[in-house]
Amino acid sequence: MSTPARAILLALCIALLNGCAEPALKDQVSTEFASQELYPVKNSGFAEAFVRRDANLASYHSVDISPLGVSDIDIPNTLVAGTLRRDWQMTAERQIALQEAWADAMNKAFAGYLRATDGSAVLRIDSGLTRIAPGRPTATTIGADLQPMGSSQDVVEIWVEFRLYDAGDERLLAVIRDNRTLTSMQMSRTAPATVRLLFGSWASLLHTRVSGK
């Protein structure tokens, strides 16, 4: 990763963590996940987060990281200026590249964890992209500093959902959803540098919320 890219990722992570230093459960169970006894979390750093009161995520020291889900993404017909329709097609090559980029980000973020596929002390992490659509620039849009001088800041917004399970009994422990914007200048690439920065920031914050560190 280049020095400018590292600086952008660091700044983004700091901004996310500073805004969500003390997550806390709300008093009422989530209507959407009432049967799983998940409670909304405020100040999580993500757009939405729901967790069991007895989840005790920090007690897990082994993880089973599932491949990124990329087969059921809502992609509207509206294109971002400066991109072509083929730039938005979820080809097999792009699916593989996105899954590899996510696996790399998660392996780095959870490097201190053991890997296992079952057992009551194993946390399974399922992740999936749910939507990719035109977005609006914000102060935290990823890649804005990487664009050439004078170029437009047309952006893409990407939505994701994470589901955390106890691998031993398949209890759903938490559901996390988020969306971020990034510049569209490299959409023609299978896994743009901006996507790797985005995945790195998501994986880092997810690790923080799981480990409590």
Short mmCIF file of all heavy atoms in Angstrom, two decimals, residues 16-17 19-20 23 41-50 102 160-162 164 175-180 198-199 201-210:
data_model
loop_
_atom_site.label_atom_id
_atom_site.label_comp_id
_atom_site.label_asym_id
_atom_site.label_seq_id
_atom_site.Cartn_x
_atom_site.Cartn_y
_atom_site.Cartn_z
N LEU A 16 -13.47 7.38 12.39
CA LEU A 16 -14.52 6.44 12.77
C LEU A 16 -14.46 6.15 14.26
O LEU A 16 -15.48 6.16 14.95
CB LEU A 16 -14.37 5.14 11.98
CG LEU A 16 -14.69 5.22 10.48
CD1 LEU A 16 -14.33 3.89 9.81
CD2 LEU A 16 -16.15 5.55 10.24
N LEU A 17 -13.27 5.89 14.77
CA LEU A 17 -13.13 5.52 16.18
C LEU A 17 -13.41 6.68 17.11
O LEU A 17 -13.98 6.51 18.18
CB LEU A 17 -11.72 4.97 16.41
CG LEU A 17 -11.42 3.64 15.71
CD1 LEU A 17 -9.98 3.24 15.93
CD2 LEU A 17 -12.35 2.55 16.20
N GLY A 19 -15.53 8.93 16.64
CA GLY A 19 -16.96 9.17 16.67
C GLY A 19 -17.74 8.09 17.38
O GLY A 19 -18.96 8.20 17.52
N CYS A 20 -17.09 7.03 17.81
CA CYS A 20 -17.84 5.93 18.41
C CYS A 20 -17.04 5.29 19.52
O CYS A 20 -16.84 4.10 19.57
CB CYS A 20 -18.19 4.89 17.34
SG CYS A 20 -16.77 4.30 16.39
N PRO A 23 -19.59 2.52 22.63
CA PRO A 23 -20.84 1.88 22.21
C PRO A 23 -21.67 1.48 23.43
O PRO A 23 -21.13 1.12 24.47
CB PRO A 23 -20.36 0.65 21.43
CG PRO A 23 -18.94 0.95 21.07
CD PRO A 23 -18.40 1.77 22.19
N VAL A 41 -27.48 -0.90 19.02
CA VAL A 41 -26.28 -0.35 19.65
C VAL A 41 -26.10 1.08 19.17
O VAL A 41 -26.12 1.35 17.97
CB VAL A 41 -25.03 -1.17 19.29
CG1 VAL A 41 -23.81 -0.60 20.02
CG2 VAL A 41 -25.23 -2.63 19.64
N LYS A 42 -25.94 2.00 20.11
CA LYS A 42 -25.65 3.38 19.72
C LYS A 42 -24.15 3.62 19.83
O LYS A 42 -23.45 2.97 20.59
CB LYS A 42 -26.42 4.36 20.59
CG LYS A 42 -26.20 4.22 22.09
CD LYS A 42 -27.10 5.17 22.87
CE LYS A 42 -26.92 5.00 24.38
NZ LYS A 42 -27.82 5.89 25.15
N ASN A 43 -23.65 4.55 19.03
CA ASN A 43 -22.23 4.90 19.01
C ASN A 43 -21.35 3.73 18.59
O ASN A 43 -20.23 3.57 19.10
CB ASN A 43 -21.77 5.42 20.37
CG ASN A 43 -22.57 6.62 20.84
OD1 ASN A 43 -22.96 7.47 20.04
ND2 ASN A 43 -22.84 6.70 22.13
N SER A 44 -21.82 2.92 17.67
CA SER A 44 -21.03 1.76 17.24
C SER A 44 -19.99 2.13 16.19
O SER A 44 -19.04 1.39 15.97
CB SER A 44 -21.94 0.67 16.67
OG SER A 44 -22.49 1.07 15.42
N GLY A 45 -20.19 3.25 15.51
CA GLY A 45 -19.32 3.61 14.40
C GLY A 45 -19.84 3.13 13.07
O GLY A 45 -19.36 3.54 12.01
N PHE A 46 -20.85 2.24 13.11
CA PHE A 46 -21.51 1.75 11.90
C PHE A 46 -22.88 2.40 11.79
O PHE A 46 -23.41 2.95 12.75
CB PHE A 46 -21.67 0.23 11.97
CG PHE A 46 -20.38 -0.53 11.94
CD1 PHE A 46 -19.85 -1.09 13.11
CD2 PHE A 46 -19.68 -0.71 10.75
CE1 PHE A 46 -18.66 -1.80 13.08
CE2 PHE A 46 -18.49 -1.42 10.72
CZ PHE A 46 -17.97 -1.96 11.88
N ALA A 47 -23.48 2.31 10.60
CA ALA A 47 -24.80 2.89 10.41
C ALA A 47 -25.83 2.24 11.31
O ALA A 47 -26.69 2.92 11.90
CB ALA A 47 -25.22 2.76 8.94
N GLU A 48 -25.77 0.92 11.44
CA GLU A 48 -26.67 0.17 12.32
C GLU A 48 -25.91 -0.98 12.95
O GLU A 48 -25.07 -1.60 12.31
CB GLU A 48 -27.86 -0.41 11.54
CG GLU A 48 -28.84 0.59 11.01
CD GLU A 48 -30.01 -0.11 10.32
OE1 GLU A 48 -29.76 -1.00 9.48
OE2 GLU A 48 -31.17 0.23 10.64
N ALA A 49 -26.24 -1.28 14.19
CA ALA A 49 -25.65 -2.44 14.85
C ALA A 49 -26.65 -2.98 15.87
O ALA A 49 -27.32 -2.21 16.57
CB ALA A 49 -24.34 -2.08 15.54
N PHE A 50 -26.77 -4.31 15.91
CA PHE A 50 -27.68 -4.98 16.83
C PHE A 50 -26.92 -6.16 17.45
O PHE A 50 -26.23 -6.89 16.74
CB PHE A 50 -28.92 -5.50 16.10
CG PHE A 50 -29.60 -4.47 15.23
CD1 PHE A 50 -29.21 -4.32 13.90
CD2 PHE A 50 -30.60 -3.65 15.72
CE1 PHE A 50 -29.81 -3.38 13.08
CE2 PHE A 50 -31.22 -2.71 14.91
CZ PHE A 50 -30.82 -2.56 13.59
N TRP A 102 -11.39 -8.55 0.37
CA TRP A 102 -11.99 -8.62 1.70
C TRP A 102 -11.26 -9.62 2.59
O TRP A 102 -11.00 -9.36 3.77
CB TRP A 102 -13.46 -9.01 1.59
CG TRP A 102 -14.14 -9.14 2.92
CD1 TRP A 102 -14.65 -10.27 3.48
CD2 TRP A 102 -14.36 -8.10 3.88
NE1 TRP A 102 -15.18 -10.00 4.73
CE2 TRP A 102 -15.01 -8.68 5.00
CE3 TRP A 102 -14.07 -6.73 3.90
CZ2 TRP A 102 -15.37 -7.94 6.12
CZ3 TRP A 102 -14.42 -5.99 5.03
CH2 TRP A 102 -15.06 -6.59 6.12
N VAL A 160 -23.03 -2.72 3.12
CA VAL A 160 -22.54 -4.04 3.55
C VAL A 160 -23.32 -4.49 4.77
O VAL A 160 -23.88 -3.66 5.52
CB VAL A 160 -21.03 -3.97 3.88
CG1 VAL A 160 -20.79 -3.17 5.15
CG2 VAL A 160 -20.41 -5.37 3.99
N GLU A 161 -23.39 -5.80 4.97
CA GLU A 161 -23.99 -6.35 6.19
C GLU A 161 -23.08 -7.43 6.75
O GLU A 161 -22.57 -8.27 5.99
CB GLU A 161 -25.37 -6.94 5.93
CG GLU A 161 -26.02 -7.50 7.20
CD GLU A 161 -27.44 -8.01 6.97
OE1 GLU A 161 -28.35 -7.15 6.92
OE2 GLU A 161 -27.63 -9.24 6.84
N PHE A 162 -22.85 -7.39 8.05
CA PHE A 162 -22.07 -8.41 8.75
C PHE A 162 -23.01 -9.14 9.72
O PHE A 162 -23.83 -8.51 10.40
CB PHE A 162 -20.92 -7.78 9.56
CG PHE A 162 -20.06 -6.83 8.79
CD1 PHE A 162 -20.04 -5.48 9.09
CD2 PHE A 162 -19.27 -7.29 7.75
CE1 PHE A 162 -19.25 -4.60 8.38
CE2 PHE A 162 -18.48 -6.41 7.02
CZ PHE A 162 -18.46 -5.06 7.34
N LEU A 164 -22.69 -12.04 12.85
CA LEU A 164 -21.76 -12.75 13.73
C LEU A 164 -22.51 -13.86 14.46
O LEU A 164 -23.57 -13.61 15.07
CB LEU A 164 -21.14 -11.78 14.73
CG LEU A 164 -19.98 -10.89 14.26
CD1 LEU A 164 -20.34 -10.06 13.04
CD2 LEU A 164 -19.52 -9.96 15.39
N VAL A 175 -25.77 -8.29 14.31
CA VAL A 175 -25.95 -7.89 12.91
C VAL A 175 -25.48 -6.45 12.80
O VAL A 175 -25.88 -5.59 13.60
CB VAL A 175 -27.42 -8.00 12.47
CG1 VAL A 175 -27.59 -7.46 11.04
CG2 VAL A 175 -27.90 -9.45 12.55
N ILE A 176 -24.62 -6.19 11.83
CA ILE A 176 -24.05 -4.86 11.64
C ILE A 176 -24.24 -4.46 10.18
O ILE A 176 -23.97 -5.25 9.27
CB ILE A 176 -22.55 -4.84 12.00
CG1 ILE A 176 -22.36 -5.19 13.47
CG2 ILE A 176 -21.94 -3.48 11.69
CD1 ILE A 176 -20.91 -5.44 13.86
N ARG A 177 -24.68 -3.24 9.96
CA ARG A 177 -24.86 -2.72 8.60
C ARG A 177 -24.16 -1.37 8.48
O ARG A 177 -24.13 -0.60 9.43
CB ARG A 177 -26.34 -2.57 8.27
CG ARG A 177 -27.10 -3.89 8.23
CD ARG A 177 -28.59 -3.65 8.21
NE ARG A 177 -29.33 -4.92 8.15
CZ ARG A 177 -30.58 -5.07 8.58
NH1 ARG A 177 -31.22 -4.05 9.12
NH2 ARG A 177 -31.18 -6.25 8.47
N ASP A 178 -23.65 -1.12 7.30
CA ASP A 178 -22.98 0.15 7.10
C ASP A 178 -22.99 0.52 5.62
O ASP A 178 -23.21 -0.34 4.75
CB ASP A 178 -21.53 0.10 7.61
CG ASP A 178 -20.98 1.47 7.93
OD1 ASP A 178 -21.75 2.33 8.41
OD2 ASP A 178 -19.79 1.72 7.67
N ASN A 179 -22.74 1.78 5.34
CA ASN A 179 -22.59 2.25 3.97
C ASN A 179 -21.58 3.39 3.94
O ASN A 179 -21.53 4.21 4.85
CB ASN A 179 -23.94 2.71 3.40
CG ASN A 179 -24.62 3.75 4.26
OD1 ASN A 179 -25.13 3.44 5.34
ND2 ASN A 179 -24.64 4.99 3.80
N ARG A 180 -20.75 3.38 2.92
CA ARG A 180 -19.71 4.40 2.75
C ARG A 180 -19.66 4.83 1.29
O ARG A 180 -20.08 4.09 0.39
CB ARG A 180 -18.33 3.85 3.14
CG ARG A 180 -18.23 3.23 4.52
CD ARG A 180 -18.22 4.26 5.62
NE ARG A 180 -18.09 3.64 6.93
CZ ARG A 180 -18.39 4.24 8.07
NH1 ARG A 180 -18.82 5.48 8.06
NH2 ARG A 180 -18.27 3.61 9.22
N LEU A 198 -11.57 0.99 1.68
CA LEU A 198 -12.87 0.83 2.33
C LEU A 198 -12.92 -0.48 3.11
O LEU A 198 -13.32 -0.50 4.29
CB LEU A 198 -13.97 0.85 1.28
CG LEU A 198 -15.38 0.49 1.75
CD1 LEU A 198 -15.87 1.50 2.78
CD2 LEU A 198 -16.35 0.40 0.58
N PHE A 199 -12.52 -1.57 2.48
CA PHE A 199 -12.54 -2.87 3.15
C PHE A 199 -11.62 -2.86 4.37
O PHE A 199 -11.93 -3.44 5.42
CB PHE A 199 -12.10 -3.97 2.19
CG PHE A 199 -13.16 -4.35 1.18
CD1 PHE A 199 -14.39 -3.71 1.15
CD2 PHE A 199 -12.93 -5.36 0.26
CE1 PHE A 199 -15.37 -4.05 0.23
CE2 PHE A 199 -13.90 -5.73 -0.67
CZ PHE A 199 -15.12 -5.08 -0.68
N SER A 201 -10.87 -0.30 6.27
CA SER A 201 -11.49 0.47 7.36
C SER A 201 -12.62 -0.31 8.01
O SER A 201 -12.77 -0.30 9.24
CB SER A 201 -12.00 1.82 6.84
OG SER A 201 -13.08 1.66 5.95
N TRP A 202 -13.42 -1.00 7.21
CA TRP A 202 -14.50 -1.82 7.77
C TRP A 202 -13.93 -2.95 8.64
O TRP A 202 -14.41 -3.19 9.74
CB TRP A 202 -15.34 -2.42 6.65
CG TRP A 202 -16.51 -1.58 6.25
CD1 TRP A 202 -17.16 -0.65 7.03
CD2 TRP A 202 -17.18 -1.58 4.98
NE1 TRP A 202 -18.20 -0.08 6.31
CE2 TRP A 202 -18.23 -0.63 5.06
CE3 TRP A 202 -16.99 -2.29 3.79
CZ2 TRP A 202 -19.10 -0.38 3.99
CZ3 TRP A 202 -17.84 -2.04 2.73
CH2 TRP A 202 -18.89 -1.09 2.83
N ALA A 203 -12.93 -3.65 8.12
CA ALA A 203 -12.35 -4.78 8.86
C ALA A 203 -11.73 -4.30 10.17
O ALA A 203 -11.86 -4.95 11.22
CB ALA A 203 -11.30 -5.49 8.01
N SER A 204 -11.05 -3.15 10.13
CA SER A 204 -10.41 -2.61 11.32
C SER A 204 -11.43 -2.25 12.39
O SER A 204 -11.26 -2.58 13.58
CB SER A 204 -9.58 -1.38 10.95
OG SER A 204 -8.99 -0.80 12.09
N LEU A 205 -12.52 -1.57 11.99
CA LEU A 205 -13.53 -1.19 12.96
C LEU A 205 -14.29 -2.41 13.48
O LEU A 205 -14.63 -2.49 14.66
CB LEU A 205 -14.50 -0.19 12.34
CG LEU A 205 -15.59 0.37 13.26
CD1 LEU A 205 -14.98 1.00 14.51
CD2 LEU A 205 -16.46 1.37 12.51
N LEU A 206 -14.52 -3.38 12.60
CA LEU A 206 -15.18 -4.61 13.04
C LEU A 206 -14.34 -5.33 14.08
O LEU A 206 -14.86 -5.81 15.11
CB LEU A 206 -15.42 -5.52 11.82
CG LEU A 206 -16.22 -6.80 12.08
CD1 LEU A 206 -17.61 -6.47 12.60
CD2 LEU A 206 -16.31 -7.62 10.80
N HIS A 207 -13.04 -5.40 13.86
CA HIS A 207 -12.14 -6.01 14.84
C HIS A 207 -12.21 -5.27 16.18
O HIS A 207 -12.25 -5.88 17.25
CB HIS A 207 -10.70 -6.01 14.33
CG HIS A 207 -9.69 -6.41 15.36
ND1 HIS A 207 -9.05 -5.47 16.17
CD2 HIS A 207 -9.26 -7.62 15.77
CE1 HIS A 207 -8.25 -6.11 17.01
NE2 HIS A 207 -8.35 -7.40 16.79
N THR A 208 -12.23 -3.95 16.12
CA THR A 208 -12.31 -3.15 17.34
C THR A 208 -13.58 -3.45 18.13
O THR A 208 -13.56 -3.59 19.35
CB THR A 208 -12.23 -1.66 17.02
OG1 THR A 208 -10.96 -1.36 16.41
CG2 THR A 208 -12.39 -0.79 18.27
N ARG A 209 -14.69 -3.55 17.40
CA ARG A 209 -15.96 -3.80 18.08
C ARG A 209 -16.04 -5.24 18.61
O ARG A 209 -16.70 -5.49 19.62
CB ARG A 209 -17.12 -3.49 17.14
CG ARG A 209 -17.23 -2.01 16.80
CD ARG A 209 -17.47 -1.21 18.08
NE ARG A 209 -17.27 0.23 17.87
CZ ARG A 209 -16.39 0.95 18.50
NH1 ARG A 209 -15.57 0.38 19.39
NH2 ARG A 209 -16.28 2.24 18.28
N VAL A 210 -15.41 -6.18 17.94
CA VAL A 210 -15.42 -7.57 18.41
C VAL A 210 -14.48 -7.75 19.60
O VAL A 210 -14.85 -8.33 20.63
CB VAL A 210 -15.02 -8.54 17.27
CG1 VAL A 210 -14.74 -9.93 17.83
CG2 VAL A 210 -16.12 -8.60 16.22
#
